[in-house]
Amino acid sequence: MSLSASEPVRRRVVVVGGGFGGLQAVRKLQGAAVDVTLVDRQNFHLFQPLVYQVATGALSAAEVAAPLRAVLKRQGNVRVLLAEVSGFDLERRQVVLDHLPNGARGERLEYDTLVVAGGSRYSYFGHDDWRERAPELKSLAGALNIRNRILTAFEAAEVEPDEERRRSWLTFVVVGGGPTGVEMAGQIAELAREALRRDFRHIDTRSARVLLVETADRILTGFPPSLSHKAEHALEKLGVTPLVEHTVVDVGSASVAIRSASGEVDDVGAHTVIWAAGVAASPLAGALAAAAGSEVDRAGRLTVMADLTLADHPEVFAIGDMVRIVQGDGTVVALPGLAPVAMQEGRYVARVIRDRLRGRATKEFRYVDKGNLATIGRSKAVADVKGIRLAGFAAWVTWLVVHLFYLIGFQNRLLVVTRWTFSFLTHGRGARLITESRGSSAA
């Protein structure tokens, strides 16, 4: 069966990636005179800002993910393909697909307009061998892996007779002091000091150490310094030790080498390391750049024009974490790798496509910064929203409302608010499941 109509009567729009940017582009094309094909290697949209709560047992996987077909079932001009994009033929206007569910490879999908929203992944700064020992928090699989490791570490400490080894099982290292790292460190501390403290008989889970390692001179560098310091103080009250101006220089199977600003290296015994530092563009950015005869920057990002199209290819859009933008004055800007950026770009691309159908021009893309939010723990967060700086309970409520608003699907919103209410009232976490076989997740 052909993946493309032989004689299309409407313009064919192919969107690669069902993340924040790609999904927004698809949804905003509802009712347009186009046929949209959404291609993703996963069959769900992941609400990535809440993935760390899956990793710490606060939420289950299904509560932060929504099946793409269910999300788009009422949008009659859209079809969804489960496949992996392996290349682009820009001259023939085709996308090369591999790993289709029926085993097919090398299939070609034709388009009139292409939107690539491949997202990003964490960068291990040239040490990809650390990836196995320090999983990342960008994916659902990574979150489940981390949850297995965290819970297995407490189980191992419970049966470990050697005091030093027990201490290493109860030491957790989070690499990266951005919002994800801060949120993850706070959640592990709360898990150890509240949710698990009555569950074990031979260990005191409150003795667990959580180290947050950040190369910069403060955590949350995207926030004003005053909020960074408040967040650091809140983490310390939870029992987290922020190590600013420190760098991880090696990750072993049971230890982490951390270098201080003075150059001294400390070998910390720790079986559980979580990576939330450094971002690199999706490999799709490199594949698209190669097809267009252009280059990527050091972070693997592709350069696009002010209307988010490729130079010499106005029919090809690239958006999200995988691009940097040449503005009208010639300056090149790399916008933050945040969901609001991708969402605004997705909506903009849909507007450009609609305007082209009507023969209208569209102004260049302008990002509207609505602020930053980061939660630290129970009733603790920081917020910088349009110049208004909040910390503590008010910021935490703001964080809750914003994330519930953007979460896809009424059912997921209902389930998440129920989980959060239960957790707030009882200090419990209902998704504390180890789902891998013993010995495979925390070695």
Side-chain angles (χ1 to χ4, degrees):
M1 182 181 69
S2 173
L3 293 175
S4 303
S6 59
E7 296 182 1
V9 295
R10 306 204 303 176
R11 293 192 66 81
R12 301 160 298 181
V13 178
V14 173
V15 178
V16 178
F20 287 105
L23 189 58
Q24 282 293 312
V26 171
R27 295 179 86 176
K28 293 301 178 181
L29 287 172
Q30 183 170 10
V34 295
D35 291 319
V36 183
T37 301
L38 174 61
V39 183
D40 200 299
R41 61 184 178 181
Q42 298 174 325
N43 78 328
F44 57 87
H45 167 79
L46 179 65
F47 193 76
Q48 207 274 331
L50 292 181
V51 166
Y52 75 94
Q53 294 204 8
V54 176
T56 52
L59 296 174
S60 66
E63 291 161 356
V64 301
L68 287 169
R69 293 188 183 278
V71 173
L72 300 168
K73 65 183 178 182
R74 300 186 188 280
Q75 192 168 338
N77 66 336
V78 177
R79 65 170 175 167
V80 178
L81 285 182
L82 182 63
E84 186 169 337
V85 172
S86 59
F88 303 93
D89 188 334
L90 301 186
E91 297 306 316
R92 294 177 178 168
R93 297 192 178 187
Q94 295 175 337
V95 178
V96 183
L97 305 179
D98 276 338
H99 303 295
L100 279 82
N102 64 350
R105 304 191 64 171
E107 296 285 343
R108 290 187 171 244
L109 178 63
E110 296 180 350
Y111 64 84
D112 297 303
T113 301
L114 174 64
V115 182
V116 183
S120 63
R121 56 182 178 172
Y122 281 116
S123 169
Y124 287 77
F125 307 111
H127 296 279
D128 284 344
D129 55 308
W130 296 353
R131 191 180 299 273
E132 181 64 26
R133 299 188 289 271
E136 45 78 29
L137 259 172
K138 274 281 186 185
S139 67
L140 194 56
L144 294 174
N145 184 4
I146 290 167
R147 186 183 70 185
N148 289 329
R149 291 175 184 239
I150 292 172
L151 297 176
T152 299
F154 286 105
E155 296 289 347
E158 174 77 353
V159 297
E160 177 56 63
D162 182 79
E163 183 177 347
E164 184 176 347
R165 284 178 55 84
R166 188 186 313 122
R167 189 162 49 247
S168 70
W169 281 113
L170 292 176
T171 298
F172 303 88
V173 178
V174 180
V175 185
T180 300
V182 167
E183 291 165 349
M184 188 70 205
Q187 287 282 305
I188 296 174
E190 285 195 339
L191 182 69
R193 283 155 180 75
E194 295 181 1
L196 297 180
R197 66 189 181 95
R198 291 191 177 94
D199 287 10
F200 293 87
R201 300 294 177 262
H202 294 96
I203 60 170
D204 181 359
T205 61
R206 293 172 296 181
S207 67
R209 287 197 304 162
V210 183
L211 308 180
L212 178 62
V213 184
E214 170 54 48
T215 303
D217 60 355
R218 61 186 175 94
I219 62 172
L220 297 177
T221 55
F223 288 73
S226 61
L227 290 181
S228 294
H229 296 318
K230 287 180 179 179
E232 187 171 334
H233 181 63
L235 284 171
E236 289 171 344
K237 288 184 68 175
L238 281 174
V240 177
T241 303
L243 298 176
V244 296
E245 296 186 283
H246 284 66
T247 305
V248 170
V249 294
D250 192 26
V251 180
S253 59
S255 65
V256 183
I258 303 174
R259 184 175 61 211
S260 66
S262 64
E264 183 178 347
V265 177
D266 184 19
D267 199 41
V268 178
H271 288 265
T272 309
V273 184
I274 299 155
W275 198 269
V279 175
S282 161
L284 288 179
L288 194 55
S294 59
E295 297 181 350
V296 296
D297 68 3
R298 292 180 61 185
R301 289 174 298 216
L302 174 70
T303 302
V304 296
M305 308 307 291
D307 62 354
L308 306 183
T309 62
L310 295 189
D312 302 323
H313 289 279
E315 78 284 358
V316 180
F317 296 86
I319 62 175
D321 300 352
M322 59 177 277
V323 303
R324 56 180 188 167
I325 305 169
V326 179
Q327 296 186 315
D329 58 4
T331 58
V332 179
V333 175
L335 294 172
L338 302 172
V341 176
M343 293 171 73
Q344 288 184 35
E345 290 177 346
R347 291 193 290 266
Y348 171 83
V349 166
R351 187 164 66 250
V352 174
I353 293 172
R354 284 179 173 273
D355 285 346
R356 287 180 179 179
L357 292 173
R358 301 185 183 106
R360 298 176 183 173
T362 312
K363 293 181 180 179
E364 66 183 49
F365 174 76
R366 291 289 183 186
Y367 171 58
V368 179
D369 188 354
K370 297 181 179 179
N372 289 318
L373 297 164
T375 183
I376 299 153
R378 177 186 172 89
S379 303
K380 300 178 181 68
V382 290
D384 178 23
V385 182
K386 292 187 177 297
I388 300 174
R389 299 174 184 178
L390 302 172
F393 185 77
W396 183 68
V397 172
T398 303
W399 183 92
L400 292 177
V401 171
V402 169
H403 283 71
L404 279 175
F405 178 78
Y406 285 111
L407 187 62
I408 299 293
F410 173 77
Q411 177 177 292
N412 279 5
R413 292 191 188 108
L414 182 61
L415 290 171
V416 167
V417 75
T418 302
R419 286 272 195 181
W420 282 347
T421 302
F422 178 81
S423 179
F424 183 80
L425 294 175
T426 67
H427 298 263
R429 291 165 188 264
R432 302 199 311 266
L433 307 178
I434 298 173
T435 56
E436 290 182 0
S437 59
R438 287 181 294 171
S440 65
S441 63

